[in-house]
Amino acid sequence: MKMQLTKRHGAARILIRQAVASRGAGLVVILTALLVAGMFALWPRVEERLFTENARDAMAQSSAMMRDLVMVAAGGPPVGEQAIEAVFDSERPALTVDDVWGASQESVLEAQQDMPGLLRRVTGGPRMVAALDPVTTPSEQPHPEFVEMNTHLLADPDYAESVSFVEGTAPGFPETTAQAEPDEHGSVTKLDVTVEIALSAGVAQRYAWQIGEARTVYTPQAEVHLELTGVFEAVDPDDGYWLHVSSALEPLVALTDPGLVADAHGFISPEAIGTVWWILGGGSTQVTRVWFPIDASTLHANEVPALIAELRAFNAAAHPMLLEANHVSVPASRFATGSIDILENVRAERDSAVALTAMVVVGPAAVGLAVLALASKLVVGRRRRMIATMSARGASAGQLRAVLAVEGVLLGLVPTVAATVAAARLVDEPVGRGWWLVPIAVGLVPIAMFVGAVRPAGTTARRFAAAARLRGWVRRTTDVLVVGCAAVAVILLRRRGLDSGTDVDPLLVATPLLVMVAACIVVLRVYPLALRVLARSLEPSAGTVTFVGSVRSGRERVAAVPVLALVAGLAIAVFTSVLLTTIERGAESAAWADVGADVRASSARGFADDAVESALGFAGVDDAVAVTDAGTTDLFHGTTTTKVRVLAADTSALASVQADVPGAPPLPADLSELRDGVVPAVAGGVGAVGIVGEVVAGRHDERVPVTVVQRASGLPGLSQGEPWLLVDVSAWENTGISLERPRIVLMRTSGEVDQAALAATLNTNGPLVSPPEHVERFQNSGLAGDIRVAFMVSVAFAGLLAAASITLTLILGAPARGRLLSVLRTLGITGRQAQGLVAWEMGPVALLALLFGVGLGAAVPGLVLSGVDLRPFTGGREQPGVEFDYGLVAAAVGAFIVLVAVVVGVAATISGRLRLGEVLRVGEDGA
Amino acid sequence: MTVTGERAHIECEDLVRIFTAKGVEVQALQGLNLRVDRSDLVAIVGASGSGKSTLLNILSGLDTPSAGSARVAGHDLLSMRRRERARYQRHVVGFVWQQTARNLLPYLTAAENVALPMVIARRSGRSERVDHLLDVLGVSHTKDRRPAELSGGEQQRISIAVALANEPEVILADEPTGELDEQTSGNVFEAIRHVNVELGVTVVVVTHDPLVSEHVRRTVQIRDGRTSTEVVRRSEVDEHGAEQHHVEEFAVLDRVGRLQLPDDFVRALDLRERVRLRLEQDHVGIWPDGSRRNGDDG
């Protein structure tokens, strides 16, 4: 376009005049473009942010032990001559940390330098800690609590970073005095060594070890006095470091037969590691733990797959660490990390969430574009006269298209670019280039609609007719194609089961959209026929409004966009409520399968014998049973050997506790008595009823004969997918094989139970768990909660779009309606009857859309949910079946209808007051 | 009426225009002939549905004839391509419709409306020309007002200015005074005549308005898609120095010799189906077919 831009009578001025004159319609287009592009731009970014937060949370919530990249090598830093000579020769220059650790640390740093970029970014500075075999360090007075106290000596070149001394000083290099002692061969040199150590305030206190106190350990060549010189506290007790050196802050206590045994870590001076190792006997094992802390706080969701790959590659390679065991170099070895599992889980969750949200969003997205096209029609209607006039005055199609394209850019592209930039500012997440282009491309809709309004000049009637015929043909072909594609997609999806691929499956996302559009086509084609039949049957008896309304609705072209919007919106409302119910019930049954009872208590060190009794004595606890998990062992029968988990409990109590637990199998009553010396068992995943086998159990791997008397699929809270055997404690103990202490107590409760007090009574090592809390905790964490919000947002958005499309359609239909009403008014219809006609315009089609939308929403979950892994949202091991909560479905549909009705009502009121049709200058041609 | 050997400014011969709608063919023009000389002012009259507007649409390049030939200022309207059509509409013809809504855009001021065709044609010196045209048509005072703020007469005079914007050779006007009262109508027609005389523009006016048709030199009547008769008015100054108005009615004879008799002639003599013709020295006589009438009586 080369129109001159002069000041007074230039093209620009005329364009501006035109734009200002139709600012109402322009504003509608701008707002719609902003809204739709904003949705297109925000959705992936918000989703990405949630995924990122989810990934970071999952990593942050995991323990450092699991998360970090760890290598455990049997060996320590090289012990040179110097280290041993230092014992005898106090004159020698002192060893430095660097002398001892330098080479090893160097090799670790090299490994980090070889890491690929992303992995290097998320790993912190490496740490190494060498630990010596534990030594028993009894106090002089019998200890009031522990029958045995073990101290593991640690050497960490960087431990000063992590501790701060609250009393005493950091340990120094060992002091040695050599004494010649007589024996039968003359005399030997017996060493008397003082090794200074540091303990945490917690350990020192529990061990009742005072500063300056030495506890003596005897070795073949020395009498070693471990002297406590310093007591420290952690600089940051929450630092993952303290999980790697787990019992450095508090001793680890275990209940054994003689009594409580404690294990704790204490630090020696790091440069003394080789020396102390030699003094303590030389042959003892040294274990060095090397780790890279992983900090995922800068990780982005889109980097997860790459990080998984990099971690795998890093772990697959052996890394030389320059360590020695007994003066021999330790071969290069591998790192391991639980991060891979965590991240794989995060990825699976993300994939499922992407698939689900894509299914839910694709409908409103399509409707959004359609509504934008509808809004653009407002402006096109306003431009028709300009097009006609200018074209008659010799404006070429090119000129007109250019003028309209400029307007399209201003009304469409500028708002979508603004919306995209604003969305990116608001939620600054790295997304693919496509998520920049797609929302901006939304702005092409008005441009296409505007430019498409220009028909080449001199279009003859013959060509018009041909074009109309072509359009009819294209429309019929499209109808057939869409319905056909939808059918094929449904068949394909039904044939194929759960997709195990990691990427979003286009078939899965496209199918709901195709089915939805196909349903709309059916509505649009069936509707006129249905109304014609209705009109014919009403003809003799109907009143004016019914007759004219039904005839008119049946004969005039049905507005497609509101139908699409209503069908999509309702389908989504129903679909999401079904999905939420499915997830919720799935999570519930997963929780019952995990927890196994109303309340579950667990203790890592085992429950006392009277635990069940004290639980039963607690208010609200009706029944309780202690379960021993004897671990996985071998089951021999015939010539086969199977790994089984052996669970033992008072089976009648278990049956009573689990009486109301979903999925709990009925247990036979006579499990507590031996059958011919054989232990009766209920089996899951292994054996057949009647088989007799032997399981390996007990301290000395005795074989206990068992027979399967019943089979069951699972034991809620106890079995975990692998084969299991449930035996009764008394029958088992009759064979003379003792069981370990039970670590699980399951309880049936009624009413409110003070769980904290119960936990204290039972002396558990953590809070009690019950299924509702389990579900709640699960659903509020991670993506499950976000998904619910996302669903509500998309249903609300779909409702707004439906309301917008209905309002716009009513506005666009105003001129035709006005003509009809003015004809009818001359025939004497009342205002009320006129309103009735307006209702007939949208009413029947809305009703049909309601039926199809709800039907579609009810049918789609069964179709597509088999294709999406919902387990990340239920926490269960099994894909949940589709569940309907008719109340929720009705509420969702009702809420949707109310939302649409309210918005349309408000719009109608406003438009009535503002004469919106005039403000928007619809159908101005007649003006 | 001058029918010379030299090419006329507007020349239509055997013009046919057939509309097809839902399988029904309507022949709006059925071999129409029309010749208009340069700088002439011609009124076209006829009943509604006679094809006047179809003719005007064809002449303005908005519609294409189905057959025949139509040339305006050397442009062949049948073979015209898109690009030539645009050039034709920009520079050769200007038009004024009955409804101002088709002439003027409501959101532009009078001056901007006049400038619009020049913007389309990328003409320079627009402001001067806008001022000049508004001045010529006597509506300078309306310059910055929008159509809604103007009277019907002012609107139509601005529409004429719009039509003249790119100095066209031909002005086509379709009932330009149709929606106006007599007084205003006279003013607007005066403006058209003024433009015809002062600027030498050929003008074709379709009208119902006797005020218009009786004041142009030549009036062409269209009936059933054909030009049937023409009325030519001459004023001569007689020997007494008084002005004499002569009105003569002509029938149109096409190239192959077809002639349409005026309706009242046909009715008066009850001419039907066949007539007798006789060639005289300086005229042709037409009589009713006496034999047939006798036959009917017998």
Side-chain angles (χ1 to χ4, degrees):
Chain A
M1 187 178 68
K2 277 195 217 147
M3 286 196 191
Q4 222 170 309
L5 301 177
T6 58
K7 271 167 263 158
R8 275 184 61 216
H9 301 122
R13 192 183 166 106
I14 288 171
L15 281 179
I16 291 168
R17 286 263 190 204
Q18 171 176 302
V20 171
S22 57
R23 58 191 173 276
L27 204 62
V28 172
V29 175
I30 289 174
L31 288 178
T32 317
L34 279 174
L35 189 71
V36 176
M39 184 192 99
F40 274 76
L42 268 180
W43 192 268
R45 288 176 171 81
V46 168
E47 205 173 51
E48 198 62 23
R49 169 155 295 178
L50 293 178
F51 292 148
T52 294
E53 277 170 9
N54 188 44
R56 290 178 185 173
D57 284 354
M59 288 293 276
Q61 279 162 14
S62 66
S63 85
M65 284 278 274
M66 185 168 177
R67 183 174 64 227
D68 294 346
L69 263 175
V70 181
M71 175 198 280
V72 178
V79 179
E81 302 258 300
Q82 270 188 308
I84 295 160
E85 281 164 14
V87 179
F88 301 100
D89 187 358
S90 52
E91 302 290 303
R92 288 186 69 97
L95 277 169
T96 63
V97 174
D98 205 37
D99 291 337
V100 178
W101 290 91
S104 310
Q105 281 180 310
E106 192 65 31
S107 63
V108 178
L109 284 173
E110 265 169 38
Q112 192 172 29
Q113 263 146 29
D114 292 342
M115 285 178 181
L118 181 57
L119 184 55
R120 198 161 58 223
R121 197 185 86 209
V122 299
T123 47
R127 297 294 295 257
M128 321 179 73
V129 176
L132 298 173
D133 273 353
V135 289
T136 306
T137 48
S139 50
E140 294 205 352
Q141 307 296 322
H143 193 274
E145 196 180 356
F146 305 123
V147 292
E148 193 179 311
M149 284 176 285
N150 297 313
T151 306
H152 304 244
L153 298 181
L154 297 179
D156 175 354
D158 301 315
Y159 83 119
E161 287 176 16
S162 304
V163 303
S164 73
F165 283 93
V166 290
E167 210 182 326
T169 54
F173 204 79
E175 304 247 328
T176 317
T177 47
Q179 288 174 325
E181 277 192 1
D183 71 354
E184 61 255 40
H185 305 294
S187 69
V188 292
T189 310
K190 188 83 177 170
L191 296 175
D192 187 280
V193 192
T194 301
V195 174
E196 298 182 349
I197 66 165
L199 293 175
S200 72
V203 171
Q205 193 242 326
R206 290 290 289 279
Y207 274 24
W209 202 330
Q210 310 300 326
I211 294 258
E213 179 190 339
R215 296 187 180 179
T216 306
V217 175
Y218 297 94
T219 73
Q221 71 249 45
E223 196 175 314
V224 184
H225 311 286
L226 295 177
E227 185 190 334
L228 182 66
T229 60
V231 169
F232 63 85
E233 273 177 0
V235 171
D236 174 12
D238 296 327
D239 186 356
Y241 179 83
W242 298 108
L243 291 168
H244 286 283
V245 290
S246 54
S247 50
L249 295 182
E250 283 293 331
L252 192 71
V253 180
L255 185 60
T256 64
D257 278 345
L260 292 175
V261 174
D263 278 88
H265 282 115
F267 288 100
I268 57 170
S269 173
E271 68 273 19
I273 178 69
T275 312
V276 175
W277 169 77
W278 185 82
I279 291 166
L280 286 176
S284 73
T285 24
Q286 242 191 107
V287 171
T288 301
R289 187 178 182 90
V290 183
W291 75 94
F292 296 101
I294 291 187
D295 175 10
S297 60
T298 63
L299 187 67
H300 278 283
N302 60 353
E303 296 169 330
V304 167
L307 184 56
I308 291 174
E310 289 185 12
L311 282 168
R312 287 227 164 96
F314 186 75
N315 289 356
H319 300 274
M321 283 296 136
L322 292 186
L323 297 171
E324 264 184 25
N326 287 325
H327 308 288
V328 179
S329 287
V330 172
S333 44
R334 296 186 165 83
F335 281 89
T337 174
S339 285
I340 294 177
D341 289 342
I342 301 169
L343 293 173
E344 284 285 13
N345 211 25
V346 163
R347 178 156 77 172
E349 240 182 323
R350 176 198 164 126
D351 289 341
S352 295
V354 166
L356 285 181
T357 53
M359 278 183 220
V360 170
V361 161
V362 74
V367 174
L369 292 178
V371 170
L372 184 55
L374 209 56
S376 306
K377 269 194 177 173
L378 282 179
V379 174
V380 168
R382 179 83 171 100
R383 294 287 168 268
R384 287 217 186 281
R385 188 158 134 209
M386 180 276 286
I387 294 170
T389 306
M390 285 184 57
S391 153
R393 305 255 180 238
S396 66
Q399 276 178 317
L400 288 169
R401 289 195 183 117
V403 168
L404 288 162
V406 168
E407 188 157 26
V409 167
L410 292 177
L411 298 183
L413 215 49
V414 169
T416 56
V417 169
T420 309
V421 170
R425 279 276 175 90
L426 198 66
V427 184
D428 183 19
E429 285 293 322
V431 291
R433 201 179 309 151
W435 288 120
W436 285 93
L437 294 181
V438 168
I440 290 175
V442 168
L444 298 179
V445 171
I447 298 180
M449 292 291 293
F450 292 176
V451 170
V454 179
R455 302 243 162 68
T459 313
T460 61
R462 204 173 309 148
R463 239 186 283 164
F464 260 129
R469 271 197 300 280
L470 181 69
R471 271 201 300 278
W473 185 84
V474 166
R475 199 164 129 179
R476 277 190 296 277
T477 314
T478 321
D479 285 2
V480 171
L481 270 181
V482 170
V483 174
C485 283
V488 169
V490 168
I491 293 168
L492 280 180
L493 214 55
R494 289 224 71 105
R495 284 217 182 139
R496 200 197 58 187
L498 185 64
D499 184 27
S500 52
T502 50
D503 282 331
V504 177
D505 179 356
L507 179 65
L508 210 54
V509 175
T511 305
L513 182 65
L514 276 172
V515 173
M516 205 171 70
V517 175
C520 290
I521 288 173
V522 172
V523 170
L524 290 174
R525 301 292 170 264
V526 165
Y527 174 73
L529 296 178
L531 268 177
R532 252 168 254 172
V533 171
L534 182 70
R536 207 168 302 147
S537 67
L538 287 175
E539 214 165 341
S541 60
T544 324
V545 172
T546 317
F547 174 64
V548 176
S550 60
V551 169
R552 176 166 174 247
S553 296
R555 292 191 189 156
E556 292 208 338
R557 253 182 73 192
V558 190
V561 179
V563 173
L564 180 70
L566 283 174
V567 168
L570 285 160
I572 285 159
V574 175
F575 176 76
T576 52
S577 50
V578 172
L579 194 50
L580 286 179
T581 308
T582 301
I583 289 176
E584 206 152 303
R585 302 232 173 119
E588 251 165 51
S589 59
W592 279 106
D594 261 15
V595 176
D598 291 343
V599 179
R600 174 198 184 97
S602 43
S603 163
R605 65 180 162 217
F607 283 105
D609 296 334
D610 61 352
V612 168
E613 268 165 60
S614 46
L616 284 174
F618 203 85
V621 178
D622 296 341
D623 236 322
V625 63
V627 183
T628 302
D629 183 346
T632 306
T633 180
D634 287 328
L635 166 70
F636 300 101
H637 70 95
T639 54
T640 60
T641 311
T642 321
K643 291 276 181 206
V644 291
R645 173 182 291 268
V646 176
L647 301 159
D650 174 348
T651 50
S652 58
L654 181 63
S656 155
V657 165
Q658 293 197 327
D660 297 328
V661 173
L667 298 176
D670 54 351
L671 287 173
S672 57
E673 278 162 33
L674 291 182
R675 296 185 179 181
D676 308 326
V678 178
V679 181
V682 177
V686 65
V689 173
I691 69 149
V692 178
E694 291 177 318
V695 290
V696 178
R699 294 219 159 171
H700 309 290
D701 287 353
E702 290 104 331
R703 292 192 168 197
V704 182
V706 291
T707 177
V708 176
V709 296
Q710 189 185 318
R711 282 173 54 86
S713 59
L715 270 184
L718 301 173
S719 68
Q720 282 163 10
E722 80 276 66
W724 53 271
L725 288 178
L726 172 70
V727 296
D728 193 273
V729 178
S730 46
W732 181 274
E733 285 185 338
N734 280 340
T735 62
I737 308 290
S738 64
L739 281 165
E740 285 180 40
R741 284 169 184 281
R743 289 169 200 264
I744 301 165
V745 172
L746 300 179
M747 285 158 278
R748 185 159 60 82
T749 60
S750 54
E752 284 287 302
V753 176
D754 182 350
Q755 295 208 351
L758 181 56
T761 309
L762 294 176
N763 198 14
T764 61
N765 60 344
L768 304 183
V769 200
S770 40
E773 288 162 31
H774 199 70
V775 171
E776 202 175 315
R777 203 177 326 151
F778 190 78
Q779 295 220 317
N780 289 337
S781 73
L783 289 179
D786 298 332
I787 285 252
R788 204 182 326 189
V789 176
F791 284 178
M792 286 176 196
V793 169
S794 63
V795 171
F797 193 77
L800 281 180
L801 286 175
S805 66
I806 292 174
T807 310
L808 284 173
T809 305
L810 287 177
I811 290 175
L812 284 168
R817 190 183 316 120
R819 283 192 291 276
L820 173 72
L821 289 181
S822 55
V823 170
L824 290 174
R825 284 234 170 82
T826 59
L827 299 177
I829 68 158
T830 64
R832 222 186 144 71
Q833 284 173 313
Q835 282 176 352
L837 278 175
V838 179
W840 264 101
E841 214 170 302
M842 288 306 297
V845 77
L847 202 67
L848 208 57
L850 175 84
L851 288 179
F852 272 80
V854 171
L856 198 61
V860 166
L863 186 64
V864 295
L865 288 191
S866 60
V868 183
D869 189 357
L870 293 180
R871 291 172 297 180
F873 306 116
T874 62
R877 277 184 294 274
E878 312 237 321
Q879 171 85 349
V882 175
E883 296 262 6
F884 285 85
D885 176 346
Y886 295 102
L888 186 64
V889 169
V893 170
F896 182 84
I897 292 172
V898 167
L899 175 68
V900 172
V902 166
V903 174
V904 171
V906 168
T909 312
I910 293 174
S911 73
R913 196 164 296 156
L914 295 180
R915 310 197 122 275
L916 207 56
E918 277 169 35
V919 174
L920 299 175
R921 308 280 167 100
V922 182
E924 189 180 57
D925 284 357
Chain B
M1 179 181 159
T2 31
V3 181
T4 59
E6 148 196 358
R7 282 247 152 126
H9 203 196
I10 298 174
E11 193 176 14
C12 298
E13 240 172 69
D14 298 335
L15 205 55
V16 175
R17 177 70 177 97
I18 300 167
F19 293 106
T20 315
K22 298 194 175 163
V24 181
E25 286 196 349
V26 177
Q27 210 170 346
L29 297 181
Q30 316 187 21
L32 178 138
N33 293 303
L34 179 70
R35 294 169 66 91
V36 180
D37 287 336
R38 186 176 287 276
S39 300
D40 210 350
L41 171 58
V42 177
I44 295 178
V45 295
S48 68
S50 59
K52 309 182 300 262
S53 296
T54 307
L55 173 65
L56 219 62
N57 276 338
I58 288 172
L59 293 180
S60 60
L62 294 174
D63 196 1
T64 316
S66 311
S69 82
R71 302 182 68 87
V72 176
H75 293 268
D76 180 352
L77 299 185
L78 269 90
S79 64
M80 205 156 54
R81 295 276 164 178
R82 201 178 292 170
R83 192 179 292 264
E84 194 192 343
R85 182 186 302 276
R87 211 161 40 228
Y88 174 75
Q89 288 172 329
R90 281 179 204 173
H91 301 291
V92 180
V93 290
F95 38 78
V96 181
W97 309 113
Q98 180 176 4
Q99 306 94 338
T100 34
R102 284 183 78 183
N103 295 319
L104 305 174
L105 291 177
Y107 43 84
L108 298 184
T109 62
E112 284 162 349
N113 265 301
V114 176
L116 186 63
M118 295 188 263
V119 172
I120 293 169
R122 296 165 202 152
R123 188 186 168 112
S124 56
R126 292 200 278 266
S127 294
E128 295 75 30
R129 179 132 182 97
V130 167
D131 291 344
H132 170 68
L133 284 171
L134 292 175
D135 197 37
V136 167
L137 288 152
V139 280
S140 299
H141 59 286
T142 64
K143 199 173 165 184
D144 294 321
R145 292 199 225 146
R146 296 201 205 164
E149 301 161 335
L150 301 173
S151 71
E154 284 169 331
Q155 287 184 15
Q156 279 313 60
R157 276 190 278 171
I158 290 161
S159 300
I160 296 165
V162 171
L164 287 168
N166 285 323
E167 296 181 81
E169 297 178 41
V170 178
I171 293 275
L172 305 168
D174 188 357
E175 305 273 8
T177 59
E179 289 182 342
L180 304 174
D181 60 59
E182 202 169 320
Q183 166 89 43
T184 324
S185 180
N187 289 343
V188 168
F189 181 64
E190 221 21 75
I192 291 177
R193 203 189 337 229
H194 179 70
V195 163
N196 172 245
V197 172
E198 295 298 313
L199 306 178
V201 183
T202 309
V203 179
V204 177
V205 187
V206 165
T207 185
H208 266 117
D209 190 349
L211 197 75
V212 175
S213 53
E214 282 164 20
H215 289 85
V216 296
R217 206 177 58 78
R218 185 177 162 215
T219 304
V220 177
Q221 173 144 34
I222 297 187
R223 232 173 70 198
D224 300 331
R226 290 202 184 91
T227 29
S228 58
T229 53
E230 286 197 29
V231 174
V232 175
R233 292 176 183 79
R234 259 179 308 128
S235 34
E236 279 174 5
V237 182
D238 61 12
E239 56 267 37
H240 310 293
E243 208 173 16
Q244 292 277 329
H245 292 282
H246 298 268
V247 179
E248 284 180 274
E249 188 161 3
F250 295 85
V252 179
L253 187 71
D254 75 4
R255 242 187 344 187
V256 292
R258 277 188 296 248
L259 176 74
Q260 199 174 20
L261 295 177
D263 241 2
D264 41 346
F265 288 21
V266 174
R267 265 199 307 275
L269 297 176
D270 192 18
L271 298 176
R272 270 190 286 171
E273 289 173 35
R274 283 190 309 200
V275 291
R276 282 176 203 280
L277 286 182
R278 187 173 305 158
L279 179 64
E280 300 291 333
Q281 203 168 11
D282 61 347
H283 71 275
V284 175
I286 296 179
W287 290 264
D289 180 2
S291 64
R292 208 175 55 104
R293 185 185 296 177
N294 296 339
D296 284 352
D297 292 345

